[in-house]
Amino acid sequence: MLLKTTLTAATALSLLAVGGAAAETLTIATVNNGDMIRMQGYTDDFTAKTGHTVEWVTLEENVLRQRVTTDISTKGGAFDIMTIGMYETPIWGANGWLVPLNDLSAEYDVDDILPAMRSGLSHDGTLFAAPFYGESSMVMYRTDLMANAGLEMPEAPTWEFIREAAKAMTDRDNDINGICLRGKAGWGEGGAFITVTGNSFGARWFDENWNAQFDQPEWANALNFFVGMMKESGPPGYATNGFNENLSLFQQGKCGMWIDATVAASFVTNPKDSTVADSVGFALAPDTGLGKRSNWLWAWALAVPAGTQKEAAAKQFIEWATSKDYIELVAAEEGWANVPPGARTSLYETPEYQAVPFAKMTLDSINAADPANPTVKPVPYVGIQFVAIPEFAGIATEVSQEFSAVYAGQQSVEDALAKAQALTNDAMEAAGYR
């Protein structure tokens, strides 16, 4: 504990030294997931070290994206710190909308950030957001239900295995769904999931000339497979389920499998919250044998909007919240399994964390993601569950709404793909890509 006390004291001194300004009140927009809510519970530590106080605006994922995008593009100035991700950061950094994080302290150790995270949160080599946590996606499954079905989960399963296992584990009489997946509209919710699923089936958003590809058989194959599997083995109303809804279902013991963000592993294995904490296994996201798995790459990160009057204090908060010392603070209070994952190399070199059952699978999933080569066929874009162009968020939100209408039984797969094809090409033509 002497080492930890010394480190904490050193961090406090370095934080107080930065900016040397009077105490500020920072307004922070963030997402309503478990790790961010946990961070809010520790902000008294930040206030004690710096004198700055924090006001939180905590929002559902789709609402957060809408609010921060509107605020920063209109220079509204509502927030001193925004929680954003790998899609927004390089685009907003290139627009001059974010404060560069190129002067963080030596103690912070920027070089310790995992290369995949640092690259995805930079523009032209300049870091514009610091990762609170990083993630890919993977299979989380009930080991007891898998064993009862007489099956064994491969470390690297195929989609066909996942579908058959889901059918075998489904028990409608006991309210157990073989699989729980995102269907909720939103480019970063159900849109993200069906995009990576499409990648594994050989689909892509655009060909090399920016022509939409929803009229190609790979998209029909992916969407028909997804809808068929969810009809067989998914929960009712899955068209409105996103990350938080499926997390709740899994923790209640109502899902045989859940394929989603690796960051969820600490919540499904926490006996305080999960009724199935002692019977959860992990595997890589599935594929179809074409060389691409259905896993993404993402970081929820903290950024400072340009024009804030509280830049120095905002940077102090970012240093505190994304530091090695914050990880140690959470580990000391709640155990290593509950620290924010996927952001720092040193975490995966820590023996205590190496013993966490999902640590290696998380890192393997992150390392398996390749944003520069996301699809089977060549594409003109970077990004796995998103296309890194400014127009994508609007287009993909509309496409995801069409797909969610399929999941809700309101239209056919064929109709949804035809609408997606038309609206995407129209938008890209208007934007000058075609």
Side-chain angles (χ1 to χ4, degrees), residues 376-393:
V376 174
K377 296 177 181 178
V379 291
Y381 56 84
V382 172
I384 302 177
Q385 77 277 27
F386 59 83
V387 177
I389 57 174
E391 296 79 9
F392 178 77

Side-chain angles (χ1 to χ4, degrees), residues 6 45 58 97 112 140 162 182 186 274:
T6 303
D45 180 77
T58 306
W97 293 354
D112 185 51
M140 294 162 277
I162 293 295
R182 299 188 192 192
S274 176

Side-chain angles (χ1 to χ4, degrees), residues 231-254:
K231 282 182 178 178
E232 293 167 354
S233 308
Y238 76 92
T240 59
N241 288 351
F243 175 86
N244 284 326
E245 291 82 3
N246 285 323
L247 171 61
S248 179
L249 286 171
F250 195 96
Q251 288 177 323
Q252 294 172 47
K254 296 182 178 181

Side-chain angles (χ1 to χ4, degrees), residues 137-139 156-162 179 193 196-197 200-201 259 283-289 292-295:
S137 52
M138 65 182 177
V139 183
T158 64
W159 271 117
E160 283 299 333
F161 176 86
I162 293 295
I179 192 160
F193 190 86
V196 295
T197 301
S200 69
F201 276 77
I259 305 170
L284 292 173
D287 69 359
T288 63
K292 295 294 177 183
R293 296 203 163 270
S294 49
N295 62 308

Side-chain angles (χ1 to χ4, degrees), residues 43-61:
T43 47
D44 285 350
D45 180 77
F46 169 72
T47 299
K49 289 178 169 68
T50 65
H52 304 310
T53 55
V54 175
E55 292 182 353
W56 292 94
V57 179
T58 306
L59 303 166
E60 185 269 334
E61 184 172 326

Side-chain angles (χ1 to χ4, degrees), residues 18 29 34 40 139 162 221 230 233 244 246 289 303 320 323 329 396 415:
V18 175
Q40 295 176 36
V139 183
I162 293 295
N221 293 340
M230 295 303 286
S233 308
N244 284 326
N246 285 323
W320 171 80
S323 67
L329 174 63
D415 285 347

Side-chain angles (χ1 to χ4, degrees), residues 62-416:
N62 287 335
V63 178
L64 172 75
R65 289 193 167 106
Q66 183 180 47
R67 285 278 301 275
V68 298
T69 300
T70 299
D71 188 71
I72 202 162
S73 61
T74 61
K75 300 182 180 179
F79 308 112
D80 302 301
I81 297 171
M82 294 176 166
T83 305
I84 59 176
M86 287 184 166
Y87 168 67
E88 299 94 346
T89 302
I91 295 171
W92 293 3
N95 286 347
W97 293 354
L98 300 175
V99 175
L101 301 181
N102 54 6
D103 57 352
L104 300 178
S105 67
E107 293 87 356
Y108 178 76
D109 193 5
V110 169
D111 290 340
D112 185 51
I113 297 173
L114 283 169
M117 301 301 156
R118 196 163 67 244
S119 174
L121 297 170
S122 298
H123 172 69
D124 282 349
T126 297
L127 188 72
F128 281 96
F132 182 70
Y133 68 75
E135 66 179 42
S136 183
S137 52
M138 65 182 177
V139 183
M140 294 162 277
Y141 67 95
R142 291 270 301 276
T143 54
D144 55 339
L145 296 182
M146 189 70 71
N148 290 344
L151 298 171
E152 183 175 346
M153 175 69 77
E155 183 173 308
T158 64
W159 271 117
E160 283 299 333
F161 176 86
I162 293 295
R163 186 169 184 171
E164 290 305 312
K167 283 196 288 187
M169 288 191 286
T170 297
D171 183 351
R172 300 295 189 195
D173 291 338
N174 289 301
D175 200 17
I176 295 175
N177 309 285
I179 192 160
C180 295
L181 299 174
R182 299 188 192 192
K184 190 175 188 177
W187 72 261
E189 275 279 11
F193 190 86
I194 198 62
T195 293
V196 295
T197 301
N199 292 345
S200 69
F201 276 77
R204 52 186 176 166
W205 269 80
F206 302 102
D207 68 11
E208 292 176 283
N209 295 312
W210 294 103
N211 297 304
Q213 295 294 287
F214 294 105
D215 60 351
Q216 298 300 301
E218 293 88 351
W219 265 114
N221 293 340
L223 200 54
N224 278 306
F225 181 92
F226 178 81
V227 172
M229 178 173 62
M230 295 303 286
K231 282 182 178 178
E232 293 167 354
S233 308
Y238 76 92
T240 59
N241 288 351
F243 175 86
N244 284 326
E245 291 82 3
N246 285 323
L247 171 61
S248 179
L249 286 171
F250 195 96
Q251 288 177 323
Q252 294 172 47
K254 296 182 178 181
C255 304
M257 289 179 290
W258 179 30
I259 305 170
D260 212 298
T262 53
V263 72
S266 68
F267 298 105
V268 298
T269 57
N270 186 339
K272 294 179 181 178
D273 303 312
S274 176
T275 62
V276 296
D278 60 350
S279 57
V280 182
F282 306 95
L284 292 173
D287 69 359
T288 63
L290 297 178
K292 295 294 177 183
R293 296 203 163 270
S294 49
N295 62 308
W296 59 62
L297 186 68
W298 186 252
W300 278 119
L302 302 177
V304 182
T308 178
Q309 301 303 304
K310 302 173 183 178
E311 179 180 320
K315 286 183 177 178
Q316 285 180 268
F317 183 86
I318 288 176
E319 284 210 23
W320 171 80
T322 65
S323 67
K324 298 176 188 178
D325 285 351
Y326 177 83
I327 290 174
E328 288 193 19
L329 174 63
V330 176
E333 295 293 331
E334 303 188 39
W336 282 98
N338 294 307
V339 306
R344 286 188 169 270
T345 300
S346 57
L347 177 62
Y348 292 90
E349 297 171 347
T350 304
E352 294 91 340
Y353 195 69
Q354 289 174 349
V356 171
F358 51 80
K360 183 179 185 301
M361 187 59 68
T362 295
L363 186 61
D364 288 348
S365 298
I366 288 171
N367 289 337
D370 184 1
N373 298 283
T375 53
V376 174
K377 296 177 181 178
V379 291
Y381 56 84
V382 172
I384 302 177
Q385 77 277 27
F386 59 83
V387 177
I389 57 174
E391 296 79 9
F392 178 77
I395 296 170
T397 295
E398 290 190 53
V399 169
S400 73
Q401 290 166 350
E402 298 297 341
F403 289 175
S404 288
V406 176
Y407 311 153
Q410 297 167 355
Q411 67 177 337
S412 68
V413 167
E414 294 74 21
D415 285 347

